[in-house]
């Protein structure tokens, strides 16, 4: 039932988008993409995956599960491949959690490592969006006009709500906070984790901006930092398959705020989805690779 519902939602969104936009303008953008920008976007996403695999490995190590970086990269690529092809976008992460559990013992640390690593990715994207919002609020001419004012107000409200939620969780001293503290035992590790998350988020945003450029829309720095995270966040909606439909719908709504057309947003979203699949091609030879470095429980645990 859930699978059918997701497929129906994706199909309905795609039909709706095609029905309300100028399809001729959309196909023109997709037919005339610039190959160089596609290569740049693909390289950005491959580099992002490499950073995320290292982030996962560091989080798991802090929770008492150790494995090699090559093994982590292999599993992360396979996980993303499953997420792209299966509904929900999290089944690959579930498989990654199961496969990273050492032996037949307690699998909770492995699952927690995957969950916290994904959360760190979203926090990195939020941090970049907040940096972009700060720039847009104070930089002359950034997100100018009445539409820009609306964007600023909306993003400021979202930022305040999320900040309040974080403060509420910290004040409660809940178990998630305890887990986060275990993953950040020293300020040095905290800086490394923050750097990996922000860098991965910037590469993701750069990949989408490159796809927009490839389809004929140039995004300036404030627009990319503020608006692209909103588009990418739409991919997290559970009723999706690989983010298709929701990502393009969000782009169609957001792009007019910077003076671009809805067709431009949809074209950028479609190309980004295609590039995501293209960036996973290195996972294909790994399907038959049986490398070492499989997970083991840390001796101190």
């Amino acid at each position: 039932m859930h699978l059918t519902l997701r497929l129906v939602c994706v199909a309905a969104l795609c039909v709706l988008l095609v029905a309300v936009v100028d399809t001729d303008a959309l196909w023109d953008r997709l037919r005339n993409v610039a190959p160089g920008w596609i290569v740049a976007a693909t390289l950005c996403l491959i580099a992002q995956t490499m950073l995320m695999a290292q982030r996962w490995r560091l989080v798991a190590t802090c929770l008492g599960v150790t494995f090699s970086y090559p093994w982590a990269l292999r599993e992360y690529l396979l996980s993303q491949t499953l997420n792209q092809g299966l509904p929900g976008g999290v089944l690959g992460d579930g498989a990654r959690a199961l496969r990273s559990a050492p032996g037949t013992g307690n699998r909770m640390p492995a699952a927690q490592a995957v969950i916290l690593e994904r959360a760190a990715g979203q926090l990195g994207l939020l941090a970049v969006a907040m940096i972009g919002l700060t720039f847009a609020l104070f930089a002359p001419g950034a997100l100018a006009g009445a539409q820009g004012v609306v964007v600023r107000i909306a993003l400021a409200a979202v930022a305040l709500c999320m900040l309040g939620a974080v403060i509420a969780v910290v004040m409660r001293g809940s178990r998630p906070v305890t887990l986060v503290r275990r993953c950040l035992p020293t300020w040095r590790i905290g800086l490394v984790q923050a750097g990996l998350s922000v860098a991965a988020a910037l590469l993701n945003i750069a990949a989408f901006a490159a796809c927009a450029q490839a389809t004929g829309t140039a995004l300036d720095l404030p627009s990319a930092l503020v608006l692209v995270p909103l588009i990418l966040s739409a991919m997290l909606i559970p009723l999706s398959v690989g983010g298709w439909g929701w990502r393009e719908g969000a782009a169609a709504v957001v792009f007019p705020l910077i003076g671009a057309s809805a067709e431009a947003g949809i074209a950028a979203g479609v190309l980004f989805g295609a590039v995501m699949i293209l960036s996973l091609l290195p996972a294909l030879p790994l399907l038959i690779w049986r490398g070492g470095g499989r997970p083991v429980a840390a001796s101190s645990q």
Side-chain angles (χ1 to χ4, degrees), residues 14-298:
C14 293
V15 170
L16 176 63
L17 290 173
V18 171
V20 299
V21 301
D22 185 344
T23 54
D24 290 335
L26 174 61
W27 302 138
D28 284 342
R29 287 181 176 273
L30 292 174
R31 280 197 300 263
N32 298 304
V33 296
W37 287 107
I38 295 178
V39 172
T42 303
L43 292 176
C44 284
L45 290 182
I46 292 175
Q48 180 199 25
T49 300
M50 296 175 68
L51 293 183
M52 292 190 299
Q54 176 63 7
R55 182 177 65 200
W56 174 42
R57 179 170 174 265
L58 290 179
V59 171
T61 299
C62 291
L63 293 180
V65 180
T66 61
F67 41 81
S68 68
Y69 176 75
W71 191 90
L73 181 58
R74 171 185 182 271
E75 292 300 312
Y76 215 107
L77 282 168
L78 295 178
S79 170
Q80 289 187 315
T81 302
L82 289 175
N83 284 345
Q84 281 296 305
L86 297 175
V90 296
L91 295 179
D93 295 310
R96 178 158 54 100
L98 289 175
R99 289 171 60 84
S100 61
T104 58
N106 184 14
R107 296 184 174 182
M108 185 61 69
Q112 291 170 339
V114 171
I115 294 172
L116 289 175
E117 186 273 326
R118 285 295 298 265
Q122 297 309 312
L123 287 175
L125 195 61
L126 174 63
V128 171
M130 293 302 99
I131 293 172
L133 174 60
T134 302
F135 182 82
L137 287 174
F138 297 103
L143 294 178
Q147 292 176 327
V149 173
V150 172
V151 173
R152 295 181 187 187
I153 294 174
L155 289 175
V158 171
L160 289 174
C161 290
M162 298 194 74
L163 179 61
V166 171
I167 292 174
V169 171
V170 172
M171 293 299 291
R172 287 178 56 191
S174 59
R175 190 180 180 193
V177 175
T178 303
L179 284 174
V180 170
R181 288 173 180 169
R182 285 182 59 193
C183 295
L184 305 173
T186 66
W187 64 268
R188 191 184 301 275
I189 293 178
L191 287 177
V192 171
Q193 290 284 21
L196 288 171
S197 295
V198 171
L202 288 173
L203 285 169
N204 205 10
I205 292 171
F208 192 95
C211 290
Q213 185 74 51
T215 54
T217 304
L219 297 178
D220 58 22
L221 185 60
S223 298
L225 294 180
V226 176
L227 301 182
V228 173
L230 297 179
I231 297 171
L232 298 179
S233 296
M235 297 173 62
L236 300 176
I237 296 175
L239 296 176
S240 68
V241 179
W244 289 99
W246 297 101
R247 174 183 57 239
E248 289 72 32
V253 172
V254 166
F255 265 49
L257 297 176
I258 57 173
S261 65
E263 292 80 9
I266 296 174
V270 169
L271 184 59
F272 182 78
V275 169
M276 287 185 69
I277 297 174
L278 184 63
S279 70
L280 295 175
L281 291 181
L284 295 180
L286 296 179
L287 289 171
I288 58 175
W289 178 64
R290 295 292 183 268
R294 292 187 63 82
V296 297

